[in-house]
Amino acid sequence: TQVVLFYTDIRDQIVRFPTGNTNGAGEFEIVKDNIGDGYVYGVEAGGAWSFARDWTLFGNATYQKGEIDTYPISRLMPFMAQLGLGWEHPGGDFWAEAQVVYADDADRLGTRDKSDTQRIPPGGTPGYVIANLRGGWRITDDVTLDLALENLADVNYRVHGSGQNMPGFNVIVGLRVSL
């Protein structure tokens, strides 16, 4: 089990802000200055429990909050957590795991986030829950075959601030060869 608490004190961060003027193209003029004071704090916790021979329950969660001069920090991640169950064959030749990933709505938006509709939908990035299955087979000491079935329910989701929708149902096959 691990628990990490953190606090970051921010002084004189470079902040972009509008001047109130527009340029010849009709765009708002933006200037930058070292005027941002604020903080980010949070907690991350995770652990694993081998509750029976060859079986492990694992998970983690993270939460963070922050502000720069009373405004939420841009692209601050929402509460996120994962929970999984893993099994490994006693000989180590086979393994499998099931995992559920949760992300809360990312609706604590800074001024920059609200205007960045390319990366962040109006009102924030919706939360999501996805489920994944993974497994592997050690064919020989030097060759391993891995299989992953990700986003089993074909959920349409986006990691906050990324600007990209994540893949729907996804199959990944990997072959590792050690020489």
Side-chain angles (χ1 to χ4, degrees):
T1 302
Q2 299 176 348
V3 176
V4 176
L5 302 171
F6 63 89
Y7 179 89
T8 304
D9 186 37
I10 301 170
R11 297 284 173 236
D12 298 328
Q13 178 180 3
I14 298 172
V15 176
R16 298 166 36 107
F17 55 93
T19 64
N21 300 324
T22 55
N23 63 20
E27 301 167 326
F28 291 107
E29 287 183 357
I30 303 292
V31 295
K32 302 174 192 173
D33 203 353
N34 293 71
I35 60 169
D37 293 334
Y39 62 88
V40 177
Y41 68 84
V43 60
E44 295 183 27
W49 174 44
S50 295
F51 63 92
R53 183 177 177 184
D54 310 322
W55 289 92
T56 303
L57 184 66
F58 61 91
N60 62 52
T62 183
Y63 173 81
Q64 54 184 283
K65 185 174 180 180
E67 294 181 350
I68 297 290
D69 294 325
T70 71
Y71 296 102
I73 290 181
S74 180
R75 299 188 194 130
L76 196 63
M77 294 305 296
F79 172 77
M80 296 185 73
Q82 75 165 346
L83 183 63
L85 177 65
W87 170 82
E88 186 172 343
H89 184 268
D93 291 338
F94 301 97
W95 67 274
E97 74 177 35
Q99 173 194 51
V100 175
V101 178
Y102 168 83
D104 202 2
D105 292 338
D107 53 8
R108 293 177 292 160
L109 304 178
T111 306
R112 185 174 171 197
D113 296 340
K114 291 175 185 175
S115 63
D116 188 0
T117 56
Q118 293 268 338
R119 289 183 185 86
I120 301 170
T125 306
Y128 55 87
V129 176
I130 59 169
N132 305 311
L133 295 174
R134 296 184 179 97
W137 172 32
R138 188 176 71 191
I139 299 168
T140 70
D141 287 343
D142 299 323
V143 179
T144 302
L145 178 66
D146 294 312
L147 174 67
L149 306 175
E150 297 183 335
N151 193 359
L152 294 173
D154 198 28
V155 174
N156 182 14
Y157 74 102
R158 174 182 292 196
V159 174
H160 181 62
S162 70
Q164 295 182 356
N165 291 337
M166 300 306 290
F169 175 70
N170 197 13
V171 177
I172 300 170
V173 178
L175 184 66
R176 289 183 283 166
V177 178
S178 302
L179 301 174

